[in-house]
Amino acid sequence: MNINEAIDLLKEKGYKTTGKRKEILAYFEKADGYRTAKDLIQFMESRYKGISFDTVYRNLHLYNKVGILETTELNGEKQFRMNCTHHHHHHFICNDCGKTKKIEVCPMDEVQNTLAEYAIEGHKFEIYGLCPVCQSA
């Protein structure tokens, strides 16, 4: 998803697109991988002195709820990234820097065969480790 698609989705769902909301979207559009709320707060404080944690968390929750951001748990902390909506895939996530790499393989074909009589309503598949840059550091 890009920033224009995200703005259109917000408008479609009846939400305003304020300057702060656009800045948050721009931050995640440029981010290479998952980012924490703390990362976003540091970014936003450089542009909006005195921005509240509540404003940042409220917008993160909204973006996740409407499908703009996807989340994962990394090192015991919830992290966010722009949602990849163009086709189904999964991610390798670096434990150090949070960068991601698409994985085109999906294990669900095998799982669906194994659970043929079950109604699967969704899934999440992520692989964690160190990217080549972090391995060499």
Side-chain angles (χ1 to χ4, degrees):
M1 178 172 296
N2 66 40
I3 193 169
N4 293 326
E5 292 169 326
I7 289 169
D8 289 345
L9 183 57
L10 281 174
K11 289 178 182 177
E12 179 184 308
K13 301 282 185 178
Y15 295 100
K16 295 178 185 176
T17 53
T18 64
K20 289 177 186 169
R21 285 187 172 163
K22 289 178 184 177
E23 286 275 348
I24 292 170
L25 291 172
Y27 172 78
F28 280 105
E29 186 177 47
K30 291 177 186 168
D32 184 12
Y34 284 92
R35 297 291 175 255
T36 65
K38 182 180 174 183
D39 295 333
L40 177 59
I41 289 167
Q42 289 174 341
F43 170 80
M44 294 298 288
E45 282 179 339
S46 69
R47 287 160 168 65
Y48 298 94
K49 299 294 181 209
I51 190 168
S52 73
F53 293 131
D54 186 51
T55 297
V56 171
Y57 283 104
R58 191 174 49 249
N59 281 290
L60 286 172
H61 176 73
L62 170 66
Y63 290 170
N64 181 243
K65 182 176 91 173
V66 299
I68 293 170
L69 295 180
E70 57 186 51
T71 64
T72 193
E73 186 93 10
L74 190 57
N75 300 323
E77 189 172 11
K78 194 170 194 175
Q79 302 208 12
F80 304 85
R81 68 167 288 171
M82 194 71 88
N83 198 351
C84 305
T85 58
H86 298 294
H87 67 283
H88 181 79
H89 64 275
H90 299 282
H91 295 109
F92 169 89
I93 304 169
C94 181
N95 284 323
D96 277 356
C97 68
K99 288 184 181 177
T100 62
K101 179 166 178 49
K102 287 181 187 176
I103 301 169
E104 301 295 340
V105 176
C106 179
M108 284 307 294
D109 292 336
E110 183 62 33
V111 171
Q112 286 177 325
N113 290 336
T114 303
L115 299 172
E117 296 180 20
Y118 293 80
I120 298 170
E121 296 178 349
H123 72 279
K124 187 173 186 176
F125 178 69
E126 296 172 338
I127 297 174
Y128 302 94
L130 298 175
C131 70
V133 172
C134 292
Q135 285 181 63
S136 63

